C-alpha cells in the first residue's frame, strides 16, 4: 500500500479518457528479480559504467562488454513481467491515448502485452553490425561466440544506448510530444538522474500534466512532482487500478 494515499485527482484522471504518458526505469523490473543500476547491490555498484557501457569500452574490449550484456540477457530471459508491467499494459488496454516511454532494455514490458511504447535506451534483444549497420533480432542465450559476428564478418554490438551516445531521435521525439499532450504522467521506478530521459516529466509538468512519481525512494523529481506514491510499483500500480476500476486482466 502507498504510504500516502493517492489523490482523488489521480483516481479521476485514471478513470477518464485523457492522454496518459508513463515513463519507466529499472525499478519497474525490480520485482521481477532484475537488479537496478544505482540501488544497493545494483549493476553500477560492482561495475564501472565506463568499462562496459561506452563506445570506447567496446572499442577497447568488445568481449568484456559482451560478457556484461550476455549476463544481462540471461537474467532478463529468466525473468517474468510483474504486476507493475501488467498494470501499465492494462492502462493502455483501456483504449485511451497512451504512450509508455521506457529506459529499460529487458523486454519485460513487451512480454506483459504493451503495444504503444518507445524504447529510449534500445533493447537487449537486437544487435547491430558495426561494419554494415544491419540491425537484427537476436534472442540466443548465451551468445556464442563472444563477441558475436555479423554474416558480413563485422563485429556485432548490442542495440542499446551507451553513455556518450544520443538517444534514438524518433523515440525521444515521440516521448516529448506525449509529455506535452498528457494530462497524467506516471514516473515509475527511475532515479531521474539520467538525461535526457529525466527531462521528460519536467516537460509534462510545464505543459500542465499531473505528474505522479511511484518509487520507494525520493529522487530529484520528488520535490516537483504533483504527488509521490512511496513504495514498490508492483504493489502501488495494481492498487491504483483497483481504485480506478481498471481491470488488470484486459492486458494481453
Ligand atoms: P536506477 O538504478 O538509477 O534507479 C532505479 C530506481 O528504481 C531508484 O530510484 C529506486 O529507488 C527505484 N526502485 C527500486 N525498486 C523499485 C520498485 N520495486 N518499484 C519502483 N521503484 C523502485 O535506474 P534508472 O533510473 O532506470 O542507462 O537508470 C536510468 C539509466 O541509467 C538506465 O537506463 C541506464 C543507467 O545507467 C544506460 O545504460 C544508458
Amino acid at each position: 500500500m502507498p504510504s500516502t494515499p493517492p489523490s482523488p485527482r489521480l483516481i479521476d484522471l485514471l478513470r477518464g479518457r485523457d492522454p496518459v504518458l508513463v515513463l519507466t526505469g529499472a525499478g519497474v523490473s525490480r520485482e521481477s528479480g532484475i537488479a537496478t543500476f544505482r540501488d544497493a547491490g545494483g549493476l553500477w555498484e560492482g561495475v564501472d559504467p565506463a568499462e562496459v557501457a561506452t563506445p570506447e569500452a567496446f572499442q577497447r574490449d568488445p568481449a568484456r562488454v559482451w560478457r556484461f550484456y550476455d549476463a544481462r540477457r540471461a537474467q532478463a530471459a529468466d525473468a517474468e513481467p510483474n504486476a507493475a508491467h501488467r498494470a501499465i499494459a492494462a492502462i493502455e488496454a483501456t483504449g485511451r491515448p497512451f504512450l509508455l516511454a521506457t529506459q529499460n532494455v529487458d523486454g519485460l514490458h513487451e512480454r506483459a502485452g504493451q503495444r504503444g511504447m518507445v524504447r529510449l535506451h534500445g533493447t537487449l534483444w537486437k544487435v547491430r553490425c558495426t561494419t554494415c549497420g544491419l540491425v537484427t533480432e537476436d534472442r540466443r542465450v548465451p551468445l556464442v561466440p563472444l563477441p558475436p559476428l555479423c554474416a558480413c564478418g563485422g563485429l556485432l554490438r548490442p542495440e542499446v544506448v551507451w553513455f556518450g551516445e544520443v538517444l534514438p531521435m524518433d523515440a525521444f521525439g515521440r516521448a516529448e510530444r506525449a509529455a506535452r499532450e498528457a494530462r497524467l504522467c506516471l514516473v515509475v521506478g527511475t532515479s531521474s538522474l539520467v538525461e535526457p530521459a529525466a527531462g521528460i516529466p519536467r516537460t509534462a509538468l510545464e505543459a500542465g500534466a499531473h505528474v505522479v512519481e511511484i518509487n520507494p525512494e525520493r529522487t530529484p523529481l520528488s520535490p516537483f512532482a504533483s504527488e509521490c506514491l512511496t513504495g514498490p510499483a508492483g504493489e502501488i500500480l495494481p492498487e491504483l487500478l483497483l481504485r480506478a476500476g481498471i481491470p488488470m486482466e484486459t492486458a494481453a
Side-chain angles (χ1 to χ4, degrees):
M1 282 290 287
S3 60
T4 318
S7 69
R9 176 155 166 68
L10 168 55
I11 301 304
D12 276 355
L13 280 163
L14 277 171
R15 284 199 182 117
R17 309 291 300 166
D18 287 323
V20 173
L21 169 66
V22 180
L23 173 69
T24 61
V28 80
S29 295
R30 184 69 203 89
E31 289 153 87
S32 295
I34 297 186
T36 62
F37 294 94
R38 295 176 181 80
D39 292 306
L43 280 172
W44 294 156
E45 196 170 270
V47 185
D48 178 355
E51 297 295 323
V52 290
T54 62
E56 294 76 22
F58 189 70
Q59 232 167 14
R60 245 187 344 258
D61 193 346
R64 165 149 195 221
V65 170
W66 262 118
R67 280 196 298 277
F68 175 74
Y69 281 96
D70 202 37
R72 291 185 62 193
R73 283 162 63 107
Q75 192 186 39
D78 276 348
E80 293 296 330
N82 66 52
H85 298 106
R86 291 197 299 277
I88 295 167
I91 299 172
E92 178 182 21
T94 60
R96 64 203 303 165
F98 178 93
L99 187 73
L100 166 67
T102 187
Q103 298 167 85
N104 297 350
V105 294
D106 56 31
L108 291 183
H109 282 301
E110 295 89 322
R111 284 171 53 198
Q114 202 76 52
R115 307 256 185 278
M117 64 178 288
V118 291
R119 300 184 196 95
L120 298 171
H121 292 168
T123 172
L124 287 174
W125 303 111
K126 286 184 182 169
V127 293
R128 173 158 35 103
C129 178
T130 54
T131 302
C132 72
L134 186 71
V135 176
T136 47
E137 188 170 308
D138 190 330
R139 294 190 171 269
R140 289 174 295 160
V141 176
L143 266 172
V144 196
L146 276 190
L149 298 177
C150 178
C152 82
L155 195 58
L156 292 171
R157 60 162 282 176
E159 182 66 342
V160 298
V161 177
W162 283 327
F163 290 99
E165 295 185 319
V166 288
L167 269 57
M169 282 319 289
D170 52 339
F172 187 67
R174 277 183 69 192
E176 278 281 304
R177 265 197 308 285
R180 287 192 292 271
E181 286 162 10
R183 303 306 304 148
L184 174 63
C185 173
L186 304 177
V187 185
V188 186
T190 176
S191 57
S192 289
L193 287 170
V194 177
E195 301 289 350
I200 293 170
R202 292 199 299 272
T203 302
L205 272 172
E206 281 161 21
H210 190 73
V211 175
V212 181
E213 179 174 67
I214 299 174
N215 197 313
E217 309 288 339
R218 288 186 68 77
T219 76
L221 174 69
S222 310
F224 307 99
S226 315
E227 60 187 290
C228 297
L229 302 178
T230 309
E235 290 173 26
I236 290 180
L237 280 164
E239 171 68 21
L240 284 180
L241 266 59
L242 191 68
R243 289 182 190 228
I246 300 174
M248 286 280 282
E249 64 273 17
T250 51

